[in-house]
């Protein structure tokens, strides 16, 4: 069986660095992003993916809802600059920050699945490699709070569900009166050699 360098990111652990160019100019740097609650990073497959287009169009419509809740958003793919620019223009993503030129090593550090491009007899060609979908919420201290990583294009987290989840937590006093720590933080199973669950609540 072939080995892989794919390693998942753990909740409450530091997120990898992420600095990518943006369509329209400038760069996105996670270390410089400072929303009140979370940085939401959406990894999408690329210009060839119609499901990505529908997903990011939904995000575009809901950006004000995330902004009012203290959540910034940025979407990024492994597409080269010209395809990133085309994504923003052709998909009508005037308000959404679109990153491009995500390197394969960086994609791996973020725990993403990668797919080799496949020839298409018609329609938009695929790049040599594309990352499969993922969505992360990164806390202000730059640790992982939420992650959803997939190897297929469908069944992604719905943005409306995320908004409903935030509203429910806020109604219970989280983020205002009490802390809402990330779940799934256990690093080793009980009884394992070298056990260290010091970051458990």
């Amino acid at each position: 069986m072939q080995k892989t360098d794919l390693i998942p990111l753990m909740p409450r652990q530091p997120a990898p660095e992420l600095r990518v160019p943006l369509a329209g100019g400038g760069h996105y740097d996670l270390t410089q992003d400072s929303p009140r609650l979370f940085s939401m990073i959406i990894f999408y497959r690329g210009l060839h993916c119609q499901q990505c287009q529908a997903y990011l169009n939904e995000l575009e419509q809901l950006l004000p809802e995330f902004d009012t809740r203290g959540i910034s958003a940025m979407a990024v793919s492994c597409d080269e600059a010209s395809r990133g620019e085309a994504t923003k223009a052709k998909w009508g993503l005037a308000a959404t920050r679109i990153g491009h030129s995500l390197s394969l090593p960086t994609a791996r550090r973020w725990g993403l699945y990668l797919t080799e491009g496949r020839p298409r007899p018609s329609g938009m060609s695929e790049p040599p490699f594309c990352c499969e979908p993922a969505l992360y919420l990164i806390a202000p201290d730059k640790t992982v709070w939420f992650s959803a990583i997939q190897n297929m294009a469908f069944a992604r987290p719905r943005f409306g569900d995320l908004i409903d989840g935030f509203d429910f937590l806020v109604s219970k006093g989280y983020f205002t009166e009490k802390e809402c720590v990330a779940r799934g933080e256990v690093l080793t199973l009980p009884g394992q050699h070298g056990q260290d669950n010091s970051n458990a609540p």
Side-chain angles (χ1 to χ4, degrees):
M1 180 181 295
Q2 287 185 314
K3 294 184 178 180
T4 177
D5 56 357
L6 181 62
I7 300 174
L9 302 187
M10 291 297 294
R12 305 190 198 177
Q13 299 299 311
E17 293 184 359
L18 182 62
R19 189 175 190 275
V20 292
L22 291 171
H27 284 77
Y28 175 86
D29 188 339
L30 178 59
T31 64
Q32 302 301 312
D33 200 26
S34 54
R36 180 170 56 85
L37 281 184
F38 297 108
S39 298
M40 182 166 66
I41 301 171
I42 301 104
F43 294 96
Y44 73 100
R45 303 179 70 236
L47 181 61
H48 64 283
C49 180
Q50 294 180 342
Q51 294 198 52
C52 292
Q53 180 177 2
Y55 196 58
L56 295 187
N57 283 154
E58 180 185 3
L59 173 65
E60 177 84 3
Q61 297 302 312
L62 292 175
L63 276 179
E65 299 293 333
F66 285 109
D67 287 341
T68 60
R69 290 164 175 80
I71 301 163
S72 70
M74 194 277 296
V76 61
S77 75
C78 295
D79 274 353
E80 62 185 11
S82 61
R83 290 170 67 102
E85 297 288 349
T87 293
K88 189 170 182 68
K90 292 182 177 181
W91 293 3
L93 303 174
T96 303
R97 293 180 290 182
I98 298 296
H100 57 78
S101 306
L102 178 71
S103 72
L104 299 183
T106 299
R108 274 304 206 215
R109 284 193 290 272
W110 277 88
L112 306 183
Y113 294 105
L114 297 173
T115 298
E116 290 190 48
R118 300 174 184 175
R120 291 186 173 184
S122 61
M124 176 63 61
S125 63
E126 297 185 8
F129 289 91
C130 73
C131 65
E132 295 300 331
L135 188 152
Y136 284 96
L137 294 173
I138 306 300
D141 64 359
K142 308 308 176 188
T143 58
V144 176
W145 190 81
F146 172 93
S147 62
I149 304 95
Q150 298 162 261
N151 71 313
M152 299 297 287
F154 49 83
R156 310 179 197 202
R158 306 313 304 174
F159 294 117
D161 292 341
L162 290 172
I163 291 171
D164 289 344
F166 283 120
D167 289 349
F168 173 79
L169 292 172
V170 169
S171 74
K172 298 298 182 181
Y174 291 105
F175 306 123
T176 54
E177 304 158 12
K178 51 188 176 181
E179 185 181 8
C180 186
V181 296
R183 308 289 290 183
E185 80 291 342
V186 175
L187 298 179
T188 58
L189 297 177
Q192 282 189 338
H193 180 68
Q195 177 180 348
D196 178 10
N197 288 322
S198 57
N199 61 339

